[in-house]
Amino acid sequence: IWLESGACLPIHTLFLKPAMRQRSDLAASLGCAFTADGYVAVDAFGQTSVPMLFAAGDMTGGIKQLPAAVASGSAAAMGAN
């Protein structure tokens, strides 16, 4: 990594944690409640504060990984069913 000072710092691995936020206003426009962290508030089965509206994945917080999103989608599908 080249530093602003001009020095070079040799590294083999770099981990970043970019800020994540919702970029869509769909949930807000539908009247969903949000958590203090800005995620759509849901129960254990993905039910939002809007009757018959379910949410899953990154928009509900939790672990930001595909398997976790799939699991929350499956739970939301069970809740909707």
Side-chain angles (χ1 to χ4, degrees), residues 8-60:
C8 179
L9 180 63
I11 63 167
H12 298 284
T13 305
L14 178 66
F15 293 95
L16 300 174
K17 184 180 178 186
M20 299 185 81
R21 63 177 174 81
Q22 285 298 307
R23 299 191 194 296
S24 171
D25 63 351
L26 179 60
S29 70
L30 293 173
C32 292
F34 289 81
T35 67
D37 294 333
Y39 295 106
V40 176
V42 295
D43 68 11
F45 289 101
Q47 174 68 61
T48 69
S49 59
V50 178
M52 298 306 297
L53 181 62
F54 294 80
D58 291 354
M59 71 184 326
T60 62

Side-chain angles (χ1 to χ4, degrees), residues 17-18 36 38 44 55 66 69 74 78-79 81:
K17 184 180 178 186
L66 182 59
S74 179
M78 287 187 292
N81 187 32

